[in-house]
Amino acid sequence: MVRYGKEHKQATRQRIIETAGRRFKRDGIDGSGISTLMADAGLTNGAFYAHFASKDDLVATAVADQLRAQYANVIEQAAPGIAGVEQIVRWYLSPQHRDSPDDGCPSAALLDEIGRSADATKQAYTDGVLAVIDGIAARLEPADPRSVHRKTLSVYAMMAGTLQLSRALADRRLSDELLDEGIRNALTLLGIQEPR
């Protein structure tokens, strides 16, 4: 029997988390069984319980990981100040983000299912989304990010709903127009003048 070191086990666990996060966003939490998730990671079902206590444990871990990735890849990469907030809004409400849910925001892809999930998943989501909100608020109002925290959270919710609706529309032109209007609305609500 081959024994693997801690590094291998951690790398395998991370592979499961990342592939599960993408699958959840594409097919939903309820639409993703353990056998499918493990096949995505190139592993057998039996290996699952060496890494996670339950599917709920994996869901909470994957949701937290997806929000950490969103923070690292979008929020941290954005320019400082208002220019960064505008970059974030334009990325979030872009046709590219709409068309690739498995690589995008877990909020727009999974919000309804997270709301029905176990408390650990809701807590992981809350912690992760508040970090994203803090990152945006710090760019919006660097001297006092707390003063715009609720407003930023509300605009984020509007953006997630706009993205969800844009994905559901069969009319591509209407979907594009919705995204454009969502950008204008988000920037207006955040007090950012859109360049003409």
Side-chain angles (χ1 to χ4, degrees):
M1 182 173 201
V2 177
R3 285 245 183 250
Y4 293 108
K6 272 189 208 174
E7 295 82 16
H8 182 270
K9 185 171 181 177
Q10 186 54 39
T12 301
R13 177 182 165 84
Q14 189 59 37
R15 186 168 80 237
I16 297 167
I17 293 166
E18 289 171 5
T19 58
R22 284 192 300 277
R23 172 68 71 168
F24 290 151
K25 289 185 297 185
R26 187 171 60 244
D27 297 341
I29 294 167
D30 292 340
S32 305
I34 289 174
S35 59
T36 301
L37 297 170
M38 293 306 284
D40 285 351
L43 299 165
T44 64
N45 288 2
F48 179 82
Y49 293 100
H51 299 279
F52 301 96
S54 64
K55 183 179 174 186
D56 284 344
D57 179 25
L58 172 58
V59 170
T61 304
V63 164
D65 184 71
Q66 289 293 313
L67 285 162
R68 261 193 309 278
Q70 183 179 358
Y71 187 88
N73 298 330
V74 178
I75 308 301
E76 280 186 347
Q77 301 303 316
I82 297 299
V85 176
E86 188 172 344
Q87 279 179 321
I88 293 164
V89 168
R90 289 184 182 284
W91 167 80
Y92 198 95
L93 294 173
S94 68
Q96 295 79 13
H97 190 200
R98 174 197 57 208
D99 297 342
S100 54
D102 48 335
D103 291 324
C105 174
S107 297
L110 297 172
L111 215 47
D112 59 333
E113 288 187 276
I114 291 170
R116 293 188 302 268
S117 289
D119 288 345
T121 299
K122 288 180 185 176
Q123 190 61 58
Y125 176 78
T126 300
D127 295 344
V129 84
L130 289 177
V132 168
I133 297 308
D134 289 346
I136 297 169
R139 282 171 175 72
L140 188 60
E141 195 61 58
D144 187 11
R146 297 298 306 163
S147 70
V148 294
H149 199 258
R150 277 198 311 260
K151 174 168 65 171
T152 305
L153 183 59
S154 179
V155 170
Y156 184 83
M158 183 206 69
M159 291 178 3
T162 299
L163 188 61
Q164 286 177 317
L165 182 57
S166 76
R167 286 176 175 165
L169 293 172
D171 182 333
R172 182 67 160 207
R173 196 179 89 238
L174 180 60
S175 178
D176 289 343
E177 290 169 358
L178 176 63
L179 291 175
D180 289 342
E181 188 64 26
I183 290 169
R184 281 190 291 280
N185 291 339
L187 295 177
T188 299
L189 289 170
L190 292 170
I192 300 171
Q193 292 291 2
E194 190 176 10
R196 295 282 167 212

